[in-house]
Amino acid sequence: MRKIIHIDMDAFFASVEQRDNPELRGKPIAVGFDGPRGVVSTASYEARKFGVHSAMSIAKAKQMCKNLIIVPSRHETYKQVSQKVHAIFQRYTDIIEPLSIDEAFLDVTENKKGIVLAQDIAREIKQSIKDELQLTASAGVSYNKFLAKIASDYRKPDGLLTIHPDRALDFIDTLPVEDFWGVGPKTLQTMHKIGIFNGKQLRACSLTHLTEVFGKAGPVFYNFARGIDERPVENTRIRKSVGCEQTFLEDISKKSAIIIELYHTVLELLRRIDKSGFRGKTLTLKIKYDDFSNITRSITTNKILTQKSDILPLAKQLMNQANTSAKAIRLIGLSVSNAEDTQKAPQWVEGELEFEEWD
């Protein structure tokens, strides 16, 4: 039986800011750009009590929390702290799969210290993070990645939960389907329409029915409802895509302005492609409108997309498909995926690729 730990730093960016500035401790803060188009990157737990959360506009966050303090991001600092957290992980195992700057999976089935219980390892890691970095982390322990990740979210902040194989199905039975990995707003709406609200109801659905309704995700949900997840912890992650997005200071609607901003986004994408060395064949356009609705459009070619002469015409083609005359545009993003060496489809999150924002 595998022993998997999922570690998730608590309100990471905000906690680092409160640690480094004692005047911010105990106060509601949000990390992000304090401007008309600023977005909350991370909110402290004091701010979350007022309903402030990541990806919320700074303007709305200020309305919800009148005493909210906005703190500029210090990405280099967060990166350095993350490296120190990973150094603690490496005392126990080299099989580490980072999910982002503030969370990771660890396979401790065979660990460097010969500790029998994964729960004890998770407890030691949490204590080391607290003692050495003055930060807290939440940990989930189980026999697969799906359950370990859910467990780490269950008792935040500073939580530790172990889901034992003998109790996994009972735990899953009461788990709301929105807490299942891969269930976003659209999938959740569909599940509710067909009468699935928790893990027990999901497990009652046949594989055939779930596949008919959810396609390739159907077998994944079928297995998750049974506590099955065979994915290994991978200490090398293959880059699936490279992308960028830009939020405008003011919404744009004129065709000429859209084309100009699209051109600048293409140039930024080319810079990131050149820096990463990524070679992909699928171009994806993401648009966020002034009402915060999103659309994505993709096109796959036989060419490796590394040149402006190839990417710009495709980007314009996708923009024409998007019917931009209907609404003003708040954000434009572009991404290249479908890597030449793996030929795998990009990782989708409810129909959208994850992009990295740029100024």
Side-chain angles (χ1 to χ4, degrees), residues 13-33:
F13 296 175
S15 295
V16 171
E17 296 301 336
Q18 290 179 320
R19 180 197 69 176
D20 293 350
N21 185 351
E23 294 182 0
L24 298 177
R25 295 173 190 171
K27 296 180 180 179
I29 74 168
V31 177
F33 170 63

Side-chain angles (χ1 to χ4, degrees), residues 131-172:
D131 292 344
E132 299 173 30
L133 304 176
Q134 295 77 55
L135 297 170
T136 65
S138 292
V141 180
S142 197
Y143 60 93
N144 62 39
K145 292 165 73 173
F146 164 62
L147 289 170
K149 181 164 174 57
I150 288 176
S152 69
D153 291 335
Y154 214 68
R155 291 178 177 168
K156 292 180 74 69
D158 200 17
L160 172 58
L161 177 65
T162 299
I163 302 177
H164 192 273
D166 293 342
R167 298 190 295 272
L169 292 185
D170 290 337
F171 180 87
I172 292 169

Side-chain angles (χ1 to χ4, degrees), residues 180-222:
F180 275 67
W181 213 351
V183 177
K186 294 179 182 177
T187 302
L188 179 63
Q189 187 177 23
T190 302
M191 285 192 173
H192 284 177
K193 281 183 178 179
I194 61 177
I196 301 174
F197 293 87
N198 57 43
K200 186 175 183 179
Q201 292 167 332
L202 180 61
R203 192 162 63 250
C205 292
S206 69
L207 176 59
T208 300
H209 183 50
L210 290 175
T211 303
E212 287 174 351
V213 176
F214 301 108
K216 293 180 180 179
V220 176
F221 296 145
Y222 180 87

